[in-house]
Amino acid sequence: LPIIWQIAKGSLKNKLLILLPAALVLSEFLPAVITPLLMLGGLFLCYEGAEKVIEKLGGAKHGETLEDPIEDIATFEKERISGAIRTDFILSAEIMAIALAEVADQALVSREIILALVAVVITAAVYGVVALIVKMDDIGLHLVENRSTAFEQKLGRGLLHAMPRLLTTLSVVGTLAMLWVGGHILVDGAKKLGFKPPYEAIHAVEHAVHEATGALGGVLGWLTNSTLSGVVGLILGTIVAFAIHKVPAMLGKSAH
């Protein structure tokens, strides 16, 4: 929990002290760069999602893994916290850019208040859920060891058994979400910049599915759009991963 608290504080500082002022300046003086910046963030999400898919399919893992030996716990924790805050900065920038795009027509003061509220609420919600998840097995163990009622014992055992499955599910859902959201942002951004074929193709298929499936058309149409956006995200993310990890090696340089 102290580590999560440190990351949450870093995330809030990222949003309020760096990203909020930058977003307001851009929206006031350079609104045209918001969409390209949003697309860069989307491409990062696609890259992160594609790397996870490649690793699951047997590709090489990049960066530090949980199996690497830990020589200094304090240094290890500081490095992990710093790395998490850096990653959070990119994701926070994406969140703030999405929020800014929704309120771009508001007055400057209104934009500032709305973005500040988004920063606080999103940070509290995300890291509150993270804290709850990482303590779930402790809560379950406490119920098993310290409660006498059959219901509490059963609930505790259920939490303990559910934890590994929950983490696996979150990993899969998180990867799919990164590809879907990243791909959707890139397709939508490309349309706004004048390149419409991917957007039009995806929406044509979505419309066809919607029309062909009757009462389930809304849900299946949305799933079609999300799936195709995810495919776009996977393709583009794989290209970026290849460029980052393979091209330098092919040129005789260190990928790091």
Side-chain angles (χ1 to χ4, degrees):
L1 291 182
I3 291 176
I4 294 172
W5 174 236
Q6 291 297 322
I7 298 171
K9 287 195 295 184
S11 174
L12 200 56
K13 289 178 181 177
N14 283 342
K15 293 183 181 76
L16 294 179
L17 301 183
I18 301 175
L19 295 172
L20 176 58
L24 292 174
V25 170
L26 288 176
S27 66
E28 194 70 16
F29 300 106
L30 293 169
V33 306
I34 294 175
T35 295
L37 288 176
L38 200 59
M39 293 176 70
L40 284 175
L43 193 59
F44 172 79
L45 291 178
C46 295
Y47 160 69
E48 287 282 305
E51 273 216 325
K52 294 182 183 301
V53 172
I54 293 169
E55 290 174 4
K56 288 293 183 183
L57 294 177
K61 293 182 181 292
H62 300 286
E64 200 176 59
T65 67
L66 294 177
E67 290 78 18
D68 294 332
I70 301 173
E71 298 178 356
D72 186 329
I73 292 294
T75 301
F76 173 78
E77 286 189 357
K78 287 181 181 178
E79 290 175 351
R80 278 300 170 95
I81 291 171
S82 297
I85 292 174
R86 284 195 300 272
T87 300
D88 176 90
F89 181 85
I90 298 174
L91 299 177
S92 293
E94 192 73 357
I95 291 168
M96 297 295 277
I98 291 171
L100 180 61
E102 293 298 319
V103 298
D105 57 343
Q106 299 290 324
L108 179 62
V109 174
S110 297
R111 269 178 277 159
E112 182 178 5
I113 293 172
I114 292 170
L115 291 177
L117 285 173
V118 168
V120 173
V121 171
I122 288 290
T123 303
V126 169
Y127 289 101
V129 171
V130 171
L132 180 62
I133 290 171
V134 300
K135 297 302 288 183
M136 191 171 111
D137 51 353
D138 288 339
I139 294 170
L141 186 63
H142 177 77
L143 289 173
V144 170
E145 292 181 342
N146 299 284
R147 302 300 180 197
S148 57
T149 68
F151 173 77
E152 289 169 332
Q153 290 275 332
K154 185 177 181 180
L155 177 60
R157 285 192 295 270
L159 290 175
L160 289 172
H161 287 300
M163 190 63 178
R165 297 183 181 91
L166 175 63
L167 292 178
T168 300
T169 301
L170 288 175
S171 176
V172 173
V173 171
T175 299
L176 294 176
M178 283 191 287
L179 294 172
W180 159 48
V181 174
H184 179 77
I185 288 171
L186 290 171
V187 170
D188 189 64
K191 184 200 75 166
K192 291 178 179 177
L193 295 178
F195 185 65
K196 299 180 180 180
Y199 179 89
E200 292 174 347
I202 289 174
H203 278 265
V205 176
E206 177 188 4
H207 180 72
V209 171
H210 186 282
E211 292 296 316
T213 52
L216 295 176
V219 174
L220 294 179
W222 178 83
L223 285 174
T224 300
N225 186 307
S226 301
T227 300
L228 293 177
S229 296
V231 171
V232 171
L234 179 60
I235 293 171
L236 295 177
T238 301
I239 293 172
V240 173
F242 178 83
I244 290 175
H245 299 299
K246 298 297 183 182
V247 172
M250 292 167 62
L251 297 176
K253 299 178 181 179
S254 168
H256 178 69

